[in-house]
Amino acid sequence: ALDILGEDGGKFAVLSASPDAANQNAWIAALQEVLKEDKYASLELLDIVYGNDQSEDSYNQALALVDKYPEILPVDWEGRTRKFGSRRHYCFSSYAYRAEVERIVTALAERYGKHPAVVGWQLDNEYGCHDTVRCYCRRCRDAFQAWLKERYQDIDTLNEAWKTVFWSQRYRDFEEIELPNLTVTRPNPSHLLDYYRFASEQVISFNALQAQMIRKLSPGRFVTHNFEDFSLHFDHFAFCLLYTSDAADELDGVDLG
């Protein structure tokens, strides 16, 4: 809050989707407690404004989306579909999920993008958390094959780069290349490295989809993301080229600075 209002502080309000949103109410209670500290004396919480969102309907929409598009669910290294019931239960290569994200972000940006009280946007939350960057579903396989074809252009170039002559691993076509999991022993390290690069770029392109919509419909506002510390499954440096600022979570306390 001080970063936005300046060192002299000022007055601000909190917007909550619904008066019965338990997670938001917990955050608001923590905020009110922290504001009692002397270092935040220059900040004044004027009001808490509640929207008319129907919480029960909102809580049900995530599962309803999975029911409609079960291919959203990611697949782990062992080839098991990860289940609904926690969070971040989606695959970055899912066309259905990307379409829904684009629809929701567009609606939010069209509604609030040019409102004078909106100074910036945080996109998504903690990419990479819970080992969710790398998925091994058929959609990722198909997208990985297309990524390899664009990168190497022809299969002989890939074979030479990956040194697939070792252990007679040569490929005749990009469509023969599977994801580098469930191999008998260690996968070809070049195969594995390219898959890691691909997975990283899937995160970046997924996020770029949101950033582009926000910049188009809400110009002049900052765009940021809150990183989870020490998540190395995607390229943070390439990712940050999308942003005017970035941030990292500090979950052992609340800091309003």
Side-chain angles (χ1 to χ4, degrees):
L2 288 175
D3 286 343
I4 296 172
L5 295 172
E7 293 182 1
D8 294 332
K11 301 175 182 180
F12 71 101
V14 170
L15 174 64
S16 179
S18 168
D20 62 346
N23 55 343
Q24 295 179 36
N25 287 338
W27 182 89
I28 291 169
L31 170 70
Q32 291 172 319
E33 189 65 28
V34 169
L35 283 173
K36 297 175 183 179
E37 298 180 15
D38 291 341
K39 64 179 179 177
Y40 300 123
S42 62
L43 294 174
E44 180 182 354
L45 177 59
L46 282 179
D47 199 2
I48 301 170
V49 182
Y50 293 102
N52 60 358
D53 180 53
Q54 301 299 311
S55 296
E56 287 301 320
D57 290 341
S58 294
Y59 297 154
N60 293 333
Q61 286 175 9
L63 182 54
L65 185 63
V66 171
D67 288 341
K68 185 176 181 180
Y69 302 110
E71 68 271 19
I72 286 175
L73 295 174
V75 174
D76 70 8
W77 173 273
E78 299 292 336
R80 300 168 298 194
T81 299
R82 301 180 80 169
K83 298 178 181 179
F84 178 88
S86 183
R87 65 171 186 168
R88 304 202 65 83
H89 38 264
Y90 65 85
C91 165
F92 287 102
S93 298
S94 168
Y95 294 114
Y97 189 74
R98 287 189 180 223
E100 287 299 299
V101 167
E102 183 175 8
R103 179 183 65 81
I104 293 169
V105 171
T106 299
L108 285 170
E110 287 178 341
R111 175 65 178 85
Y112 300 107
K114 296 181 180 178
H115 193 288
V118 175
V119 297
W121 298 80
Q122 175 188 309
L123 302 185
D124 220 288
N125 173 65
E126 296 179 337
Y127 287 127
C129 189
H130 314 308
D131 191 23
T132 50
V133 168
R134 297 164 187 165
C135 172
Y136 299 88
C137 69
R138 61 176 179 81
R139 293 166 303 284
C140 284
R141 180 201 63 196
D142 294 346
F144 180 52
Q145 291 170 350
W147 184 90
L148 290 171
K149 190 170 184 178
E150 181 177 353
R151 179 179 177 86
Y152 292 103
Q153 298 298 307
D154 65 79
I155 198 66
D156 290 336
T157 302
L158 179 142
N159 281 317
E160 176 60 27
W162 285 12
K163 298 297 185 274
T164 55
V165 67
F166 185 74
W167 280 351
S168 301
Q169 294 178 358
R170 287 184 63 84
Y171 297 100
R172 298 162 297 181
D173 191 277
F174 287 101
E175 293 182 357
E176 295 179 339
I177 302 174
E178 295 287 344
L179 296 173
N181 65 316
L182 298 179
T183 53
V184 174
T185 184
R186 297 183 185 90
N188 183 317
S190 297
H191 187 175
L192 193 65
L193 178 59
D194 267 348
Y195 169 70
Y196 287 175
R197 288 168 173 159
F198 156 79
S200 174
E201 290 187 16
Q202 289 296 88
V203 176
I204 294 170
S205 68
F206 173 81
N207 198 73
L209 173 69
Q210 300 177 62
Q212 289 163 2
M213 299 306 300
I214 292 296
R215 290 207 168 93
K216 176 183 177 182
L217 298 170
S218 185
R221 278 79 173 175
F222 72 80
V223 181
T224 190
H225 173 76
N226 60 315
F227 290 113
E228 181 193 31
D229 289 348
F230 309 116
S231 175
L232 304 178
H233 286 185
F234 65 96
D235 186 343
H236 289 57
F237 296 98
F239 185 96
C240 284
L241 295 176
L242 298 169
Y243 289 117
T244 48
S245 64
D246 58 271
D249 283 348
E250 199 63 58
L251 298 180
D252 57 348
V254 178
D255 187 348
L256 303 182

